[in-house]
Amino acid sequence: MPPTKTLREGSAKKRAAILAAAQELFLANGFDRSSIDAIAARAKVSTRTVYDYFGDKRTLLRTVVENIGQSLIATIQRTLDETLTDLTEAGELEDALVTFSMRIATDMLNSADYAMLQRLGQTESDHLPPRDDRAMANAPDEAVGERLAALARAGLLDIADPRLAADHFIALTFGVAISRLGSANAAGDARVRPLIVEGVRAFLRAYGKER
């Protein structure tokens, strides 16, 4: 079996240009109809440079998806930091959890990055690794779980399994909205907020400390 080829790290500017070109073409034409030659031409690099940096087109697609995902994860982490930090009273939790959820339901779910990730995930799933094989897919849930664990350590929640609590929180808020409305994007649908508020209250009935 031949040794695995070592890919070049290369110029950050060239890598960014290749990824931007690939993202545009994958979205416009689809994976199968987007050639490495076309991606190279749009990025203003040689075809060999694309192969040297990414190896093949499937790796390029995976990198595009992972980069978009990392941007969204950064948005989630920033929102957690801005809404669920420095809480000291259990009575603050409902408003803080609703604020976090609504920020995600507007700022993130209405973003161009989220729309691109959803579209690529739906149209190009055959060319991507299974969801369970992508650590990125679990990162948002893990980030929420870590923040819920911090709130439990502060004595504001009663949680034995933070990841399970995060799964319950996400299901009761965003999951219910998606099930009922087809989307949890609150930017253009006023019906999302009442569902999120009731989901937060249900979560706190299950995990909140007795007052």
Side-chain angles (χ1 to χ4, degrees), residues 74-86 100 147:
T75 297
I76 293 170
Q77 190 62 60
R78 183 172 62 253
T79 307
L80 285 167
D81 291 342
E82 292 172 354
T83 60
L84 294 175
T85 301
D86 298 327
F100 164 73
R147 191 53 50 96

Side-chain angles (χ1 to χ4, degrees), residues 8-208:
R8 289 171 53 194
E9 183 63 30
S11 157
K13 184 176 179 180
K14 285 184 180 180
R15 284 182 66 84
I18 293 167
L19 288 170
Q23 180 174 305
E24 291 170 9
L25 290 174
F26 290 151
L27 286 169
N29 303 330
F31 178 84
D32 291 327
R33 295 174 61 191
S34 299
S35 69
I36 291 291
D37 287 341
I39 292 167
R42 179 162 296 206
K44 296 182 171 56
V45 299
S46 70
T47 299
R48 173 50 53 195
T49 296
V50 177
Y51 281 114
D52 285 348
Y53 281 36
F54 294 98
D56 55 44
K57 193 166 68 168
R58 191 181 296 265
T59 299
L60 188 50
L61 173 64
R62 186 174 70 245
T63 306
V64 166
V65 169
E66 288 175 352
N67 279 8
I68 297 171
Q70 288 298 332
S71 174
L72 294 173
I73 291 165
T75 297
I76 293 170
Q77 190 62 60
R78 183 172 62 253
T79 307
L80 285 167
D81 291 342
E82 292 172 354
T83 60
L84 294 175
T85 301
D86 298 327
L87 301 178
T88 58
E89 301 291 337
E92 300 174 300
L93 273 178
E94 181 177 324
D95 285 347
L97 289 168
V98 168
T99 298
F100 164 73
S101 301
M102 288 301 297
R103 285 270 303 274
I104 294 299
T106 51
D107 297 352
M108 193 187 90
L109 299 187
N110 195 48
S111 69
D113 277 352
Y114 184 77
M116 284 189 288
L117 186 64
Q118 290 294 101
R119 184 173 170 191
L120 288 172
Q122 291 165 3
T123 60
E124 309 301 345
S125 59
D126 289 347
H127 305 294
L128 291 167
R131 190 177 191 275
D132 289 345
D133 290 346
R134 285 177 274 160
M136 182 187 70
N138 292 318
D141 311 52
E142 295 288 353
V144 173
E146 288 172 7
R147 191 53 50 96
L148 294 177
L151 293 171
R153 290 193 296 272
L156 303 179
L157 292 172
D158 187 4
I159 292 176
D161 184 337
R163 176 55 194 270
L164 180 60
D167 290 341
H168 288 162
F169 178 80
I170 293 165
L172 288 166
T173 51
F174 306 109
V176 169
I178 291 169
S179 176
R180 293 278 290 273
L181 307 175
S183 169
N185 184 345
D189 194 337
R191 298 173 296 171
V192 172
R193 182 182 176 85
L195 294 177
I196 283 178
V197 170
E198 289 305 316
V200 167
R201 289 172 178 169
F203 175 81
L204 289 175
R205 286 194 293 271
Y207 288 101

